[in-house]
Amino acid sequence: KTRFDRPIQPVPTQITKGIFVFSTLYNQIAVGPTALDQESRSDTKPDDAVAEALSILGKKILPDLDVVSDFVDEYVGIRPGTDKRDYQIHAYPDKCWISAAGIRSTGLTASLGIGRYVVKSLLPILLDVQSEAGTYFDDAPLPAAVDLIHEFNERGDGCIALYGREYRVTHPLTALGWKAQA
């Protein structure tokens, strides 16, 4: 398979950053995303015309790409758009709640800063909860990725366990990549 270290992307516009072609961490070629507005907030069925257009684009950029045998899966995600251009991050300490919404594609690049901001906003809430519940929020290292992948495939239910809690692996590229490592 063709693997490359940097994504291929068109020149962004005011509406979209464009459709990328990139290698995943698991040596799979991905083409997308698209930026199509829709009314439904729950319809996640792939559109055949969009899938065909993505296949054509993938072949145009990578002529050796075999869109049949290299095909792994497709998924549709609902983007968390709001009527505002900025991220919507709000803490509600009285409800022990923080809302992080409207975070689009730039959220990946901004994730460390968003994380710091969320933690800073949550600290007063966490300190109150921790003083009531003991030392629940101790720092704990993550297991090695290879161990998480092994557990994910052994279980077969799309979940992993960390420190006594179960977590569902929800990002399609991660789930597809981890399944490919079985």
Side-chain angles (χ1 to χ4, degrees):
K1 282 188 182 177
T2 304
R3 174 146 170 74
F4 41 96
D5 295 326
R6 290 178 177 76
I8 299 168
Q9 78 177 95
V11 176
T13 68
Q14 278 291 82
I15 298 170
T16 179
K17 301 242 181 310
I19 297 173
F20 287 67
V21 177
F22 60 97
S23 292
T24 70
L25 291 173
Y26 308 102
N27 203 29
Q28 298 162 320
I29 304 298
V31 182
T34 60
L36 303 173
D37 290 334
Q38 66 180 43
E39 291 299 317
S40 172
R41 296 323 242 165
S42 60
D43 180 10
T44 59
K45 293 185 302 277
D47 180 284
D48 291 338
V50 172
E52 179 65 20
L54 291 173
S55 293
I56 291 168
L57 178 66
K59 287 282 295 173
K60 179 179 175 185
I61 293 172
L62 297 172
D64 293 338
L65 181 66
D66 184 337
V67 296
V68 175
S69 68
D70 289 341
F71 179 80
V72 177
D73 206 346
E74 60 188 340
Y75 68 95
V76 174
I78 306 297
R79 292 179 179 218
T82 68
D83 60 346
K84 297 173 177 52
R85 283 186 62 88
D86 293 330
Y87 303 157
Q88 301 299 304
I89 304 173
H90 305 286
Y92 304 94
D94 57 320
K95 297 179 181 174
C96 292
W97 185 264
I98 189 161
S99 170
I103 299 172
R104 298 176 184 240
S105 300
T106 56
L108 179 60
T109 304
S111 62
L112 294 177
I114 292 169
R116 280 189 212 100
Y117 184 82
V118 167
V119 167
K120 184 178 174 184
S121 300
L122 280 174
L123 275 177
I125 299 169
L126 294 176
L127 293 175
D128 284 347
V129 171
Q130 186 174 11
S131 65
E132 293 172 11
T135 57
Y136 181 75
F137 298 104
D138 291 339
D139 288 337
L142 282 175
V146 68
D147 296 333
L148 295 174
I149 293 167
H150 177 76
E151 179 184 357
F152 175 84
N153 284 305
E154 283 287 310
R155 289 176 59 128
D157 63 357
C159 296
I160 58 169
L162 289 173
Y163 304 104
R165 294 190 68 183
E166 288 193 358
Y167 297 91
R168 179 161 304 282
V169 178
T170 58
H171 195 281
L173 289 179
T174 300
L176 291 170
W178 285 13
K179 285 176 187 173
Q181 302 298 307

